[in-house]
Amino acid sequence: MMRSTFRTPTFRRAAVAVAIGSLTLALTSCGGDDDSGKPSGNTTSKSSGSDLQLPKLDGKSLQIAAVWSGDEQKNFKQVLAEFEKRTGAKVTFVPAQDPIINFIGSKVAGGAPPDVAMLPQPGAIKQAVDKKWAKPLDQSVQDELAKNYSQGWQDLGKVDGKSYGSYYKAANKSLIWYNAQSFEDAAAKVPKTWKEFLATSQALSDSGVTPMSIGGADGWPLTDWFENIYLSQAGPEKYDQLAKHEIKWTDPSVTKALTTLAQLWGKSDFVAGGNKAAVQLEFTKSVEQVFTDPPKGAMVYEGDFVQVNVPKTAKVGTDAKVFPFPAVGDQPPVVSGGDAAVIFKDSPAAQALVKFLASPDAATIQAKLGGYLSPNKNVDLSAYPNEVQRTIAKAVIDAGDDFRFDMSDQTPQAFGGTPGKGEWKALQDFLTNPKDVAGTQKALEAEAAKAYKD
């Protein structure tokens, strides 16, 4: 059975809920105010105002792979450029396909893996370690992690107690983005509970705008929908058990969560274009169509990273606003995600690159560019270009170890992270036919049993 090494203590979220709750304040524009692993030689570079020590790596070349594209890739390359400037190394960004663990596998088989890759799932890190692809982080990287990350984020990158992954990017995946004008026209209220959320959806529908835009073509947004409902409704202990497959997907708690989800997905007039169209809709387009004129949907669910997909014609904080995912149970959910740097070709240069990415120096560069969230607690909140990002970042840091990582990212890749298969496919089928709760559960359990056994 594939397991994440991450464990969280008692579920305490008061500070997080307060911080996230302020997201409905007026926000500013998203554009911004705007082979040993040991360092070779004795010469190091040190940035102005920073105590980060990096080796001189003149003449060294590195490859780093990630699935990032568009602005996300462009902004990350600015971070890599700073590493090149400080060390003299040359770093090439290698665009990867999703699931990246399969991409890495093909490169390993061909004898040419990237030096470093950004893996989005603890399960993928575990798989890379089990296959003896991943290399452990050296002590200097671990020391950098200990300075800058809560224990929970450090543990997420560990397998059997040894550090393999350094989380560079985080995501708050418990947010609903909405078209402010649509809410105003419908006199719709920002909901705090699931019951209020359904009432708000009905008010929007009555006003003539479809309440929800859902991007089901990619699969992963659908798993996030389920996880937020399940965490809030079933609680953190059940969430952890289901993530590790210690309880089956035929459990009554899953029945209840899917039935709750069907209260929204089961009303075709609540879903932009209807359910069958939603299954064909790409995530990026599901965001864009909420902020067109006229909008095709009034709301879209997903994390803080939605900002980069909001059309330039819409201003975040004025036209595009956000509220926390409503509480389905006693507490609103706090679900996080992230991408970790993992070494596949060990060298002083590769270790130095991951050390740099673990530092506040690297994260601060990308934070200033927008559309990015760091779990690094030593990144100054002022680095974020707008109030929404500062608030979300503070919530993640204030949470400490008290959050739950994306469930599908903790499961075997074959179940929770492969397009057209496993949980992605089962929930796409459920979006098409939300009445089939029992059939969906059976499909989920069959796929999970197979994946965890493998």
mmCIF file with all atom_site columns, all heavy atoms in Angstrom, residues 175-194:
data_model
loop_
_atom_site.group_PDB
_atom_site.id
_atom_site.type_symbol
_atom_site.label_atom_id
_atom_site.label_alt_id
_atom_site.label_comp_id
_atom_site.label_asym_id
_atom_site.label_entity_id
_atom_site.label_seq_id
_atom_site.pdbx_PDB_ins_code
_atom_site.Cartn_x
_atom_site.Cartn_y
_atom_site.Cartn_z
_atom_site.occupancy
_atom_site.B_iso_or_equiv
_atom_site.pdbx_formal_charge
_atom_site.auth_seq_id
_atom_site.auth_comp_id
_atom_site.auth_asym_id
_atom_site.auth_atom_id
_atom_site.pdbx_PDB_model_num
ATOM 1   N N   . LEU A 1 175 ? -11.420 27.269 -2.036  1.00 0.00 ? 175 LEU A N   1
ATOM 2   C CA  . LEU A 1 175 ? -11.911 28.598 -2.406  1.00 0.00 ? 175 LEU A CA  1
ATOM 3   C C   . LEU A 1 175 ? -12.951 28.529 -3.518  1.00 0.00 ? 175 LEU A C   1
ATOM 4   O O   . LEU A 1 175 ? -12.871 27.681 -4.407  1.00 0.00 ? 175 LEU A O   1
ATOM 5   C CB  . LEU A 1 175 ? -10.753 29.489 -2.878  1.00 0.00 ? 175 LEU A CB  1
ATOM 6   C CG  . LEU A 1 175 ? -9.577  29.688 -1.910  1.00 0.00 ? 175 LEU A CG  1
ATOM 7   C CD1 . LEU A 1 175 ? -8.446  30.403 -2.621  1.00 0.00 ? 175 LEU A CD1 1
ATOM 8   C CD2 . LEU A 1 175 ? -10.026 30.472 -0.685  1.00 0.00 ? 175 LEU A CD2 1
ATOM 9   N N   . ILE A 1 176 ? -13.924 29.442 -3.477  1.00 0.00 ? 176 ILE A N   1
ATOM 10  C CA  . ILE A 1 176 ? -14.893 29.625 -4.555  1.00 0.00 ? 176 ILE A CA  1
ATOM 11  C C   . ILE A 1 176 ? -14.695 31.037 -5.113  1.00 0.00 ? 176 ILE A C   1
ATOM 12  O O   . ILE A 1 176 ? -14.768 32.016 -4.366  1.00 0.00 ? 176 ILE A O   1
ATOM 13  C CB  . ILE A 1 176 ? -16.349 29.474 -4.074  1.00 0.00 ? 176 ILE A CB  1
ATOM 14  C CG1 . ILE A 1 176 ? -16.577 28.128 -3.385  1.00 0.00 ? 176 ILE A CG1 1
ATOM 15  C CG2 . ILE A 1 176 ? -17.311 29.670 -5.247  1.00 0.00 ? 176 ILE A CG2 1
ATOM 16  C CD1 . ILE A 1 176 ? -16.614 26.933 -4.300  1.00 0.00 ? 176 ILE A CD1 1
ATOM 17  N N   . TRP A 1 177 ? -14.428 31.126 -6.411  1.00 0.00 ? 177 TRP A N   1
ATOM 18  C CA  . TRP A 1 177 ? -14.280 32.419 -7.086  1.00 0.00 ? 177 TRP A CA  1
ATOM 19  C C   . TRP A 1 177 ? -15.619 32.787 -7.720  1.00 0.00 ? 177 TRP A C   1
ATOM 20  O O   . TRP A 1 177 ? -16.336 31.916 -8.222  1.00 0.00 ? 177 TRP A O   1
ATOM 21  C CB  . TRP A 1 177 ? -13.194 32.334 -8.151  1.00 0.00 ? 177 TRP A CB  1
ATOM 22  C CG  . TRP A 1 177 ? -11.839 32.083 -7.564  1.00 0.00 ? 177 TRP A CG  1
ATOM 23  C CD1 . TRP A 1 177 ? -11.331 30.886 -7.141  1.00 0.00 ? 177 TRP A CD1 1
ATOM 24  C CD2 . TRP A 1 177 ? -10.832 33.052 -7.303  1.00 0.00 ? 177 TRP A CD2 1
ATOM 25  N NE1 . TRP A 1 177 ? -10.067 31.049 -6.635  1.00 0.00 ? 177 TRP A NE1 1
ATOM 26  C CE2 . TRP A 1 177 ? -9.727  32.377 -6.730  1.00 0.00 ? 177 TRP A CE2 1
ATOM 27  C CE3 . TRP A 1 177 ? -10.742 34.424 -7.517  1.00 0.00 ? 177 TRP A CE3 1
ATOM 28  C CZ2 . TRP A 1 177 ? -8.561  33.024 -6.363  1.00 0.00 ? 177 TRP A CZ2 1
ATOM 29  C CZ3 . TRP A 1 177 ? -9.575  35.080 -7.155  1.00 0.00 ? 177 TRP A CZ3 1
ATOM 30  C CH2 . TRP A 1 177 ? -8.495  34.378 -6.585  1.00 0.00 ? 177 TRP A CH2 1
ATOM 31  N N   . TYR A 1 178 ? -15.950 34.087 -7.722  1.00 0.00 ? 178 TYR A N   1
ATOM 32  C CA  . TYR A 1 178 ? -17.262 34.458 -8.265  1.00 0.00 ? 178 TYR A CA  1
ATOM 33  C C   . TYR A 1 178 ? -17.246 35.785 -9.003  1.00 0.00 ? 178 TYR A C   1
ATOM 34  O O   . TYR A 1 178 ? -16.386 36.650 -8.762  1.00 0.00 ? 178 TYR A O   1
ATOM 35  C CB  . TYR A 1 178 ? -18.307 34.478 -7.146  1.00 0.00 ? 178 TYR A CB  1
ATOM 36  C CG  . TYR A 1 178 ? -18.148 35.555 -6.092  1.00 0.00 ? 178 TYR A CG  1
ATOM 37  C CD1 . TYR A 1 178 ? -18.881 36.741 -6.169  1.00 0.00 ? 178 TYR A CD1 1
ATOM 38  C CD2 . TYR A 1 178 ? -17.289 35.380 -5.003  1.00 0.00 ? 178 TYR A CD2 1
ATOM 39  C CE1 . TYR A 1 178 ? -18.766 37.718 -5.186  1.00 0.00 ? 178 TYR A CE1 1
ATOM 40  C CE2 . TYR A 1 178 ? -17.164 36.355 -4.023  1.00 0.00 ? 178 TYR A CE2 1
ATOM 41  C CZ  . TYR A 1 178 ? -17.906 37.527 -4.116  1.00 0.00 ? 178 TYR A CZ  1
ATOM 42  O OH  . TYR A 1 178 ? -17.789 38.489 -3.146  1.00 0.00 ? 178 TYR A OH  1
ATOM 43  N N   . ASN A 1 179 ? -18.205 35.918 -9.902  1.00 0.00 ? 179 ASN A N   1
ATOM 44  C CA  . ASN A 1 179 ? -18.405 37.138 -10.672 1.00 0.00 ? 179 ASN A CA  1
ATOM 45  C C   . ASN A 1 179 ? -19.195 38.116 -9.804  1.00 0.00 ? 179 ASN A C   1
ATOM 46  O O   . ASN A 1 179 ? -20.369 37.887 -9.513  1.00 0.00 ? 179 ASN A O   1
ATOM 47  C CB  . ASN A 1 179 ? -19.157 36.809 -11.963 1.00 0.00 ? 179 ASN A CB  1
ATOM 48  C CG  . ASN A 1 179 ? -19.312 38.000 -12.879 1.00 0.00 ? 179 ASN A CG  1
ATOM 49  O OD1 . ASN A 1 179 ? -19.807 39.049 -12.476 1.00 0.00 ? 179 ASN A OD1 1
ATOM 50  N ND2 . ASN A 1 179 ? -18.920 37.832 -14.142 1.00 0.00 ? 179 ASN A ND2 1
ATOM 51  N N   . ALA A 1 180 ? -18.539 39.194 -9.385  1.00 0.00 ? 180 ALA A N   1
ATOM 52  C CA  . ALA A 1 180 ? -19.158 40.129 -8.449  1.00 0.00 ? 180 ALA A CA  1
ATOM 53  C C   . ALA A 1 180 ? -20.423 40.765 -9.004  1.00 0.00 ? 180 ALA A C   1
ATOM 54  O O   . ALA A 1 180 ? -21.408 40.956 -8.276  1.00 0.00 ? 180 ALA A O   1
ATOM 55  C CB  . ALA A 1 180 ? -18.149 41.212 -8.061  1.00 0.00 ? 180 ALA A CB  1
ATOM 56  N N   . GLN A 1 181 ? -20.440 41.072 -10.307 1.00 0.00 ? 181 GLN A N   1
ATOM 57  C CA  . GLN A 1 181 ? -21.605 41.701 -10.906 1.00 0.00 ? 181 GLN A CA  1
ATOM 58  C C   . GLN A 1 181 ? -22.797 40.756 -10.915 1.00 0.00 ? 181 GLN A C   1
ATOM 59  O O   . GLN A 1 181 ? -23.935 41.169 -10.672 1.00 0.00 ? 181 GLN A O   1
ATOM 60  C CB  . GLN A 1 181 ? -21.295 42.159 -12.333 1.00 0.00 ? 181 GLN A CB  1
ATOM 61  C CG  . GLN A 1 181 ? -22.392 43.003 -12.972 1.00 0.00 ? 181 GLN A CG  1
ATOM 62  C CD  . GLN A 1 181 ? -22.640 44.301 -12.217 1.00 0.00 ? 181 GLN A CD  1
ATOM 63  O OE1 . GLN A 1 181 ? -21.709 45.067 -11.973 1.00 0.00 ? 181 GLN A OE1 1
ATOM 64  N NE2 . GLN A 1 181 ? -23.890 44.547 -11.819 1.00 0.00 ? 181 GLN A NE2 1
ATOM 65  N N   . SER A 1 182 ? -22.537 39.474 -11.167 1.00 0.00 ? 182 SER A N   1
ATOM 66  C CA  . SER A 1 182 ? -23.612 38.484 -11.160 1.00 0.00 ? 182 SER A CA  1
ATOM 67  C C   . SER A 1 182 ? -24.240 38.376 -9.781  1.00 0.00 ? 182 SER A C   1
ATOM 68  O O   . SER A 1 182 ? -25.466 38.253 -9.640  1.00 0.00 ? 182 SER A O   1
ATOM 69  C CB  . SER A 1 182 ? -23.084 37.115 -11.599 1.00 0.00 ? 182 SER A CB  1
ATOM 70  O OG  . SER A 1 182 ? -22.681 37.135 -12.947 1.00 0.00 ? 182 SER A OG  1
ATOM 71  N N   . PHE A 1 183 ? -23.422 38.416 -8.752  1.00 0.00 ? 183 PHE A N   1
ATOM 72  C CA  . PHE A 1 183 ? -23.934 38.373 -7.382  1.00 0.00 ? 183 PHE A CA  1
ATOM 73  C C   . PHE A 1 183 ? -24.766 39.616 -7.084  1.00 0.00 ? 183 PHE A C   1
ATOM 74  O O   . PHE A 1 183 ? -25.832 39.531 -6.467  1.00 0.00 ? 183 PHE A O   1
ATOM 75  C CB  . PHE A 1 183 ? -22.769 38.254 -6.389  1.00 0.00 ? 183 PHE A CB  1
ATOM 76  C CG  . PHE A 1 183 ? -22.455 36.836 -5.995  1.00 0.00 ? 183 PHE A CG  1
ATOM 77  C CD1 . PHE A 1 183 ? -22.174 35.885 -6.960  1.00 0.00 ? 183 PHE A CD1 1
ATOM 78  C CD2 . PHE A 1 183 ? -22.455 36.436 -4.664  1.00 0.00 ? 183 PHE A CD2 1
ATOM 79  C CE1 . PHE A 1 183 ? -21.866 34.581 -6.613  1.00 0.00 ? 183 PHE A CE1 1
ATOM 80  C CE2 . PHE A 1 183 ? -22.169 35.131 -4.299  1.00 0.00 ? 183 PHE A CE2 1
ATOM 81  C CZ  . PHE A 1 183 ? -21.878 34.191 -5.285  1.00 0.00 ? 183 PHE A CZ  1
ATOM 82  N N   . GLU A 1 184 ? -24.258 40.755 -7.527  1.00 0.00 ? 184 GLU A N   1
ATOM 83  C CA  . GLU A 1 184 ? -24.981 41.996 -7.266  1.00 0.00 ? 184 GLU A CA  1
ATOM 84  C C   . GLU A 1 184 ? -26.325 41.999 -7.978  1.00 0.00 ? 184 GLU A C   1
ATOM 85  O O   . GLU A 1 184 ? -27.352 42.378 -7.398  1.00 0.00 ? 184 GLU A O   1
ATOM 86  C CB  . GLU A 1 184 ? -24.134 43.188 -7.731  1.00 0.00 ? 184 GLU A CB  1
ATOM 87  C CG  . GLU A 1 184 ? -24.772 44.538 -7.446  1.00 0.00 ? 184 GLU A CG  1
ATOM 88  C CD  . GLU A 1 184 ? -23.903 45.703 -7.884  1.00 0.00 ? 184 GLU A CD  1
ATOM 89  O OE1 . GLU A 1 184 ? -22.678 45.510 -8.025  1.00 0.00 ? 184 GLU A OE1 1
ATOM 90  O OE2 . GLU A 1 184 ? -24.459 46.807 -8.105  1.00 0.00 ? 184 GLU A OE2 1
ATOM 91  N N   . ASP A 1 185 ? -26.341 41.569 -9.240  1.00 0.00 ? 185 ASP A N   1
ATOM 92  C CA  . ASP A 1 185 ? -27.581 41.546 -10.016 1.00 0.00 ? 185 ASP A CA  1
ATOM 93  C C   . ASP A 1 185 ? -28.624 40.616 -9.400  1.00 0.00 ? 185 ASP A C   1
ATOM 94  O O   . ASP A 1 185 ? -29.830 40.880 -9.490  1.00 0.00 ? 185 ASP A O   1
ATOM 95  C CB  . ASP A 1 185 ? -27.291 41.109 -11.460 1.00 0.00 ? 185 ASP A CB  1
ATOM 96  C CG  . ASP A 1 185 ? -26.471 42.137 -12.229 1.00 0.00 ? 185 ASP A CG  1
ATOM 97  O OD1 . ASP A 1 185 ? -26.391 43.286 -11.769 1.00 0.00 ? 185 ASP A OD1 1
ATOM 98  O OD2 . ASP A 1 185 ? -25.903 41.769 -13.278 1.00 0.00 ? 185 ASP A OD2 1
ATOM 99  N N   . ALA A 1 186 ? -28.168 39.530 -8.799  1.00 0.00 ? 186 ALA A N   1
ATOM 100 C CA  . ALA A 1 186 ? -29.075 38.545 -8.217  1.00 0.00 ? 186 ALA A CA  1
ATOM 101 C C   . ALA A 1 186 ? -29.355 38.808 -6.739  1.00 0.00 ? 186 ALA A C   1
ATOM 102 O O   . ALA A 1 186 ? -30.130 38.077 -6.118  1.00 0.00 ? 186 ALA A O   1
ATOM 103 C CB  . ALA A 1 186 ? -28.489 37.143 -8.381  1.00 0.00 ? 186 ALA A CB  1
ATOM 104 N N   . ALA A 1 187 ? -28.733 39.858 -6.196  1.00 0.00 ? 187 ALA A N   1
ATOM 105 C CA  . ALA A 1 187 ? -28.812 40.134 -4.750  1.00 0.00 ? 187 ALA A CA  1
ATOM 106 C C   . ALA A 1 187 ? -28.423 38.884 -3.972  1.00 0.00 ? 187 ALA A C   1
ATOM 107 O O   . ALA A 1 187 ? -29.008 38.558 -2.927  1.00 0.00 ? 187 ALA A O   1
ATOM 108 C CB  . ALA A 1 187 ? -30.215 40.591 -4.367  1.00 0.00 ? 187 ALA A CB  1
ATOM 109 N N   . ALA A 1 188 ? -27.425 38.170 -4.497  1.00 0.00 ? 188 ALA A N   1
ATOM 110 C CA  . ALA A 1 188 ? -26.978 36.917 -3.888  1.00 0.00 ? 188 ALA A CA  1
ATOM 111 C C   . ALA A 1 188 ? -25.992 37.185 -2.762  1.00 0.00 ? 188 ALA A C   1
ATOM 112 O O   . ALA A 1 188 ? -25.160 38.088 -2.845  1.00 0.00 ? 188 ALA A O   1
ATOM 113 C CB  . ALA A 1 188 ? -26.332 36.024 -4.947  1.00 0.00 ? 188 ALA A CB  1
ATOM 114 N N   . LYS A 1 189 ? -26.091 36.395 -1.712  1.00 0.00 ? 189 LYS A N   1
ATOM 115 C CA  . LYS A 1 189 ? -25.222 36.558 -0.552  1.00 0.00 ? 189 LYS A CA  1
ATOM 116 C C   . LYS A 1 189 ? -24.059 35.568 -0.616  1.00 0.00 ? 189 LYS A C   1
ATOM 117 O O   . LYS A 1 189 ? -24.198 34.457 -1.108  1.00 0.00 ? 189 LYS A O   1
ATOM 118 C CB  . LYS A 1 189 ? -26.018 36.342 0.741   1.00 0.00 ? 189 LYS A CB  1
ATOM 119 C CG  . LYS A 1 189 ? -27.128 37.360 0.974   1.00 0.00 ? 189 LYS A CG  1
ATOM 120 C CD  . LYS A 1 189 ? -27.861 37.068 2.265   1.00 0.00 ? 189 LYS A CD  1
ATOM 121 C CE  . LYS A 1 189 ? -28.974 38.081 2.514   1.00 0.00 ? 189 LYS A CE  1
ATOM 122 N NZ  . LYS A 1 189 ? -29.715 37.790 3.767   1.00 0.00 ? 189 LYS A NZ  1
ATOM 123 N N   . VAL A 1 190 ? -22.919 35.999 -0.093  1.00 0.00 ? 190 VAL A N   1
ATOM 124 C CA  . VAL A 1 190 ? -21.769 35.102 0.016   1.00 0.00 ? 190 VAL A CA  1
ATOM 125 C C   . VAL A 1 190 ? -22.086 34.052 1.087   1.00 0.00 ? 190 VAL A C   1
ATOM 126 O O   . VAL A 1 190 ? -22.341 34.401 2.242   1.00 0.00 ? 190 VAL A O   1
ATOM 127 C CB  . VAL A 1 190 ? -20.496 35.878 0.389   1.00 0.00 ? 190 VAL A CB  1
ATOM 128 C CG1 . VAL A 1 190 ? -19.371 34.917 0.740   1.00 0.00 ? 190 VAL A CG1 1
ATOM 129 C CG2 . VAL A 1 190 ? -20.077 36.802 -0.757  1.00 0.00 ? 190 VAL A CG2 1
ATOM 130 N N   . PRO A 1 191 ? -22.108 32.775 0.726   1.00 0.00 ? 191 PRO A N   1
ATOM 131 C CA  . PRO A 1 191 ? -22.522 31.731 1.679   1.00 0.00 ? 191 PRO A CA  1
ATOM 132 C C   . PRO A 1 191 ? -21.387 31.269 2.585   1.00 0.00 ? 191 PRO A C   1
ATOM 133 O O   . PRO A 1 191 ? -20.215 31.304 2.199   1.00 0.00 ? 191 PRO A O   1
ATOM 134 C CB  . PRO A 1 191 ? -22.952 30.595 0.745   1.00 0.00 ? 191 PRO A CB  1
ATOM 135 C CG  . PRO A 1 191 ? -22.063 30.753 -0.457  1.00 0.00 ? 191 PRO A CG  1
ATOM 136 C CD  . PRO A 1 191 ? -21.855 32.230 -0.623  1.00 0.00 ? 191 PRO A CD  1
ATOM 137 N N   . LYS A 1 192 ? -21.756 30.822 3.769   1.00 0.00 ? 192 LYS A N   1
ATOM 138 C CA  . LYS A 1 192 ? -20.779 30.268 4.700   1.00 0.00 ? 192 LYS A CA  1
ATOM 139 C C   . LYS A 1 192 ? -21.000 28.774 4.923   1.00 0.00 ? 192 LYS A C   1
ATOM 140 O O   . LYS A 1 192 ? -20.094 28.079 5.362   1.00 0.00 ? 192 LYS A O   1
ATOM 141 C CB  . LYS A 1 192 ? -20.848 31.006 6.035   1.00 0.00 ? 192 LYS A CB  1
ATOM 142 C CG  . LYS A 1 192 ? -20.420 32.465 5.952   1.00 0.00 ? 192 LYS A CG  1
ATOM 143 C CD  . LYS A 1 192 ? -20.453 33.119 7.329   1.00 0.00 ? 192 LYS A CD  1
ATOM 144 C CE  . LYS A 1 192 ? -19.984 34.571 7.258   1.00 0.00 ? 192 LYS A CE  1
ATOM 145 N NZ  . LYS A 1 192 ? -20.009 35.236 8.588   1.00 0.00 ? 192 LYS A NZ  1
ATOM 146 N N   . THR A 1 193 ? -22.212 28.299 4.628   1.00 0.00 ? 193 THR A N   1
ATOM 147 C CA  . THR A 1 193 ? -22.524 26.884 4.802   1.00 0.00 ? 193 THR A CA  1
ATOM 148 C C   . THR A 1 193 ? -22.992 26.294 3.476   1.00 0.00 ? 193 THR A C   1
ATOM 149 O O   . THR A 1 193 ? -23.331 27.028 2.536   1.00 0.00 ? 193 THR A O   1
ATOM 150 C CB  . THR A 1 193 ? -23.637 26.689 5.839   1.00 0.00 ? 193 THR A CB  1
ATOM 151 O OG1 . THR A 1 193 ? -24.872 27.236 5.323   1.00 0.00 ? 193 THR A OG1 1
ATOM 152 C CG2 . THR A 1 193 ? -23.283 27.376 7.149   1.00 0.00 ? 193 THR A CG2 1
ATOM 153 N N   . TRP A 1 194 ? -23.036 24.969 3.412   1.00 0.00 ? 194 TRP A N   1
ATOM 154 C CA  . TRP A 1 194 ? -23.472 24.298 2.191   1.00 0.00 ? 194 TRP A CA  1
ATOM 155 C C   . TRP A 1 194 ? -24.936 24.625 1.880   1.00 0.00 ? 194 TRP A C   1
ATOM 156 O O   . TRP A 1 194 ? -25.302 24.848 0.731   1.00 0.00 ? 194 TRP A O   1
ATOM 157 C CB  . TRP A 1 194 ? -23.282 22.795 2.321   1.00 0.00 ? 194 TRP A CB  1
ATOM 158 C CG  . TRP A 1 194 ? -23.630 22.026 1.075   1.00 0.00 ? 194 TRP A CG  1
ATOM 159 C CD1 . TRP A 1 194 ? -24.744 21.277 0.849   1.00 0.00 ? 194 TRP A CD1 1
ATOM 160 C CD2 . TRP A 1 194 ? -22.847 21.949 -0.117  1.00 0.00 ? 194 TRP A CD2 1
ATOM 161 N NE1 . TRP A 1 194 ? -24.713 20.728 -0.409  1.00 0.00 ? 194 TRP A NE1 1
ATOM 162 C CE2 . TRP A 1 194 ? -23.548 21.118 -1.027  1.00 0.00 ? 194 TRP A CE2 1
ATOM 163 C CE3 . TRP A 1 194 ? -21.619 22.483 -0.510  1.00 0.00 ? 194 TRP A CE3 1
ATOM 164 C CZ2 . TRP A 1 194 ? -23.064 20.817 -2.301  1.00 0.00 ? 194 TRP A CZ2 1
ATOM 165 C CZ3 . TRP A 1 194 ? -21.130 22.184 -1.778  1.00 0.00 ? 194 TRP A CZ3 1
ATOM 166 C CH2 . TRP A 1 194 ? -21.855 21.366 -2.660  1.00 0.00 ? 194 TRP A CH2 1
#
